[in-house]
Amino acid sequence: MKVGLVGFAGAGKTTIFNALTGLTAEVGGFGAREKANVGVIKVPDPRVDKLAEIYNPKKKTFAEISFVDVAGPQESDRSESGLDPKLVQQQRSAEALVHVVRAFDNPMLLQKADPARDIRAFDDELMLTDMVQIDNRIARLKKEKDSARERELLERLKAALEEERPLRDVELAQEELASIAGFCFLSLKPALLLLNTSEERAAENEYILLGAPREVIELAEAKKLSLIVMSGKAEMEIAELDPEEQREFLADLGISEPARDRFIRAAYELLDLISFLTVGEDECRAWTISRGTTAQKAAGKIHSDIERGFIRAEVTRFEDLVELGSEARCREQGKLRLEGKEYIVQDGDVINYRFNV
Ligand SMILES: Nc1nc2c(ncn2[C@@H]2O[C@H](COP(=O)(O)OP(=O)(O)OP(=O)(O)O)[C@@H](O)[C@H]2O)c(=O)[nH]1
Ligand SMILES: [Mg+2]
């Protein structure tokens, strides 16, 4: 899964990027348009470890989240055409956006921290950017015949934006979504608010969980956005320590788990993601899919050949496999099911695909 970090310059995106990935990209760039930082983290999954104990594979592979961090616009230089096309380009392929919101006073910035202001302002930027793209497209379609359907859909999206509703709020059918996928609209991407607070606040355990300012919580609810709170700076310093030191440091600060783990959970919940597993002597592996994905579609995650040549899925539950110790025993005990292509994959399914190419 690919996640884009967005937000105004100096909000702490690169700091959060370092905290989440354990990398050491340079912070304090202040909107300098450099190339994007890209980093990948593994999603910890004890089920993969457990299965590896049974199969003793050559390789264990965890699901991954990759982060893209690009410089943000200055709070002051907002234009009528929305976000810089370069930034839009860099975030096109992101499947979800994390809006990093500054909740600390940054000595390099004139404006005091006002997270609610920035949440509104950045959301407006996202919507404006989409609006400009839609307007351009509609103008072009006017010259084309047979474009009535696309125009009708775009007009509907435009109407939502005019009411200050992001596109993720618009109810769209599968085929409508597919027909606009090429635009990569920013306000259509699922989004998470990440309130970046000062280190002092990080020490207040409650603040970490719920204690965001009431105005921010209400705004997040009104915008139907999940909210997580962390101190980028403290978490970045923690990420630089070795695991043992990390635990002590977190305990001192009264933080129960590192930002990274909290973030991963929030992201999975937000995006309604689940994992299925594959096992074998070569590899035990977790794969991330959206809840509601069919067995045939899920096969495509592994290889397009398996999706195309799908015959059936042999499915065992992770718990059954661990309890009985092998797929053969699961089969004997009636715990191995044969499922067709329409089967909806469940979190923790261990799947062996039969296919023919
Ligand atoms: N006090 C405090 N300072 C922070 C925190 N997070 C970031 N900073 C500081 O804020 C400044 C900007 O942080 P960056 O992470 O570079 O901000 P950015 O969002 O990547 O900014 P651009 O790349 O310019 O868009 C740096 O000097 C950081 O040290 C925080 O949680 N607390
Ligand atoms: Mg940066």
Side-chain angles (χ1 to χ4, degrees):
M1 176 185 27
K2 198 158 163 187
V3 172
L5 297 171
V6 294
F8 289 115
K13 295 179 294 298
T14 306
T15 308
I16 296 284
F17 173 85
N18 287 342
L20 295 174
T21 60
L23 296 172
T24 51
E26 196 177 331
V27 300
F30 282 98
R33 310 237 154 258
E34 300 286 318
K35 63 175 177 20
N37 295 313
V38 179
V40 179
I41 61 172
K42 292 188 190 329
V43 178
D45 190 339
R47 293 175 299 192
V48 175
D49 297 305
K50 194 81 202 159
L51 292 170
E53 283 171 24
I54 302 177
Y55 286 85
N56 219 349
K58 296 195 192 88
K59 201 160 92 181
K60 286 197 281 196
T61 310
F62 295 90
E64 287 180 341
I65 302 181
S66 70
F67 293 96
V68 182
D69 162 45
V70 297
Q74 306 280 351
E75 287 168 33
S76 52
D77 71 19
R78 297 168 52 198
S79 83
E80 273 164 31
S81 53
L83 293 164
D84 187 315
K86 183 160 177 212
L87 182 151
V88 178
Q89 184 60 29
Q90 285 163 319
Q91 297 294 9
R92 261 178 84 85
S93 59
E95 290 153 78
L97 297 180
V98 175
H99 176 190
V100 178
V101 185
R102 177 167 68 95
F104 61 92
D105 288 324
N106 188 329
M108 299 284 286
L109 295 172
L110 288 174
Q111 289 192 309
K112 289 227 153 249
D114 182 346
R117 173 199 64 209
D118 288 354
I119 292 168
R120 289 197 191 91
F122 200 82
D123 229 18
D124 286 350
E125 290 291 297
L126 296 177
M127 290 189 278
L128 179 59
T129 307
D130 289 347
M131 179 75 109
V132 169
Q133 216 183 334
I134 289 176
D135 278 340
N136 288 342
R137 180 68 186 163
I138 289 176
R140 222 167 307 138
L141 286 179
K142 286 197 172 132
K143 300 186 197 112
E144 280 177 35
K145 277 185 284 175
D146 304 330
S147 63
R149 267 184 84 170
E150 187 181 351
R151 255 173 71 183
E152 183 270 327
L153 175 57
L154 291 176
E155 294 286 359
R156 189 142 63 86
L157 299 179
K158 183 177 161 152
L161 292 172
E162 278 168 348
E163 289 166 15
E164 296 187 19
R165 281 167 56 220
L167 300 182
R168 68 183 109 82
D169 261 13
V170 182
E171 226 171 281
L172 292 165
Q174 278 305 327
E175 66 268 19
E176 289 175 325
L177 275 173
S179 77
I180 57 169
F183 292 105
C184 303
F185 292 127
L186 293 175
S187 78
L188 184 62
K189 297 181 193 289
L192 183 72
L193 292 173
L194 192 159
L195 196 67
N196 185 13
T197 71
S198 62
E199 310 74 278
E200 305 82 62
R201 285 300 181 88
E204 296 166 31
N205 203 13
E206 261 173 63
Y207 195 87
I208 288 284
L209 297 171
L210 290 168
R214 148 159 278 146
E215 191 190 3
V216 172
I217 296 175
E218 285 173 0
L219 186 56
E221 277 170 8
K223 286 186 173 287
K224 293 195 223 116
L225 292 170
S226 328
L227 175 68
I228 52 177
V229 184
M230 60 176 74
S231 164
K233 208 163 170 201
E235 298 282 357
M236 180 173 108
E237 282 158 18
I238 294 166
E240 284 165 2
L241 304 172
D242 66 48
E244 186 49 38
E245 286 174 320
Q246 276 186 21
R247 266 189 293 279
E248 282 170 26
F249 199 91
L250 286 169
D252 280 352
L253 281 179
I255 302 174
S256 55
E257 86 187 306
R260 210 181 113 126
D261 296 2
R262 254 180 326 124
F263 178 86
I264 291 171
R265 258 193 295 119
Y268 266 64
E269 232 165 81
L270 161 76
L271 299 170
D272 213 6
L273 297 172
I274 58 169
S275 303
F276 72 94
L277 304 140
T278 53
V279 294
E281 278 158 23
D282 284 333
E283 188 182 42
C284 289
R285 179 161 185 170
W287 306 84
T288 303
I289 51 170
S290 302
R291 194 184 301 281
T293 301
T294 62
Q296 182 170 25
K297 198 97 215 315
K301 278 269 159 188
I302 306 174
H303 201 289
S304 52
D305 283 351
I306 309 183
E307 181 177 350
R308 229 169 338 110
F310 180 96
I311 299 172
R312 62 170 186 268
E314 301 175 354
V315 184
T316 44
R317 292 292 307 157
F318 164 78
E319 298 78 15
D320 292 336
L321 187 53
V322 169
E323 193 191 320
L324 298 171
S326 74
E327 282 158 297
R329 298 234 17 229
C330 287
R331 194 189 301 268
E332 283 166 25
Q333 308 271 323
K335 299 283 188 190
L336 187 148
R337 285 172 283 131
L338 300 182
E339 300 284 1
K341 56 186 173 196
E342 296 302 329
Y343 169 70
I344 302 293
V345 177
Q346 305 294 311
D347 188 51
D349 277 351
V350 181
I351 305 185
N352 182 23
Y353 280 105
R354 296 286 170 195
F355 65 105
N356 182 4
V357 281

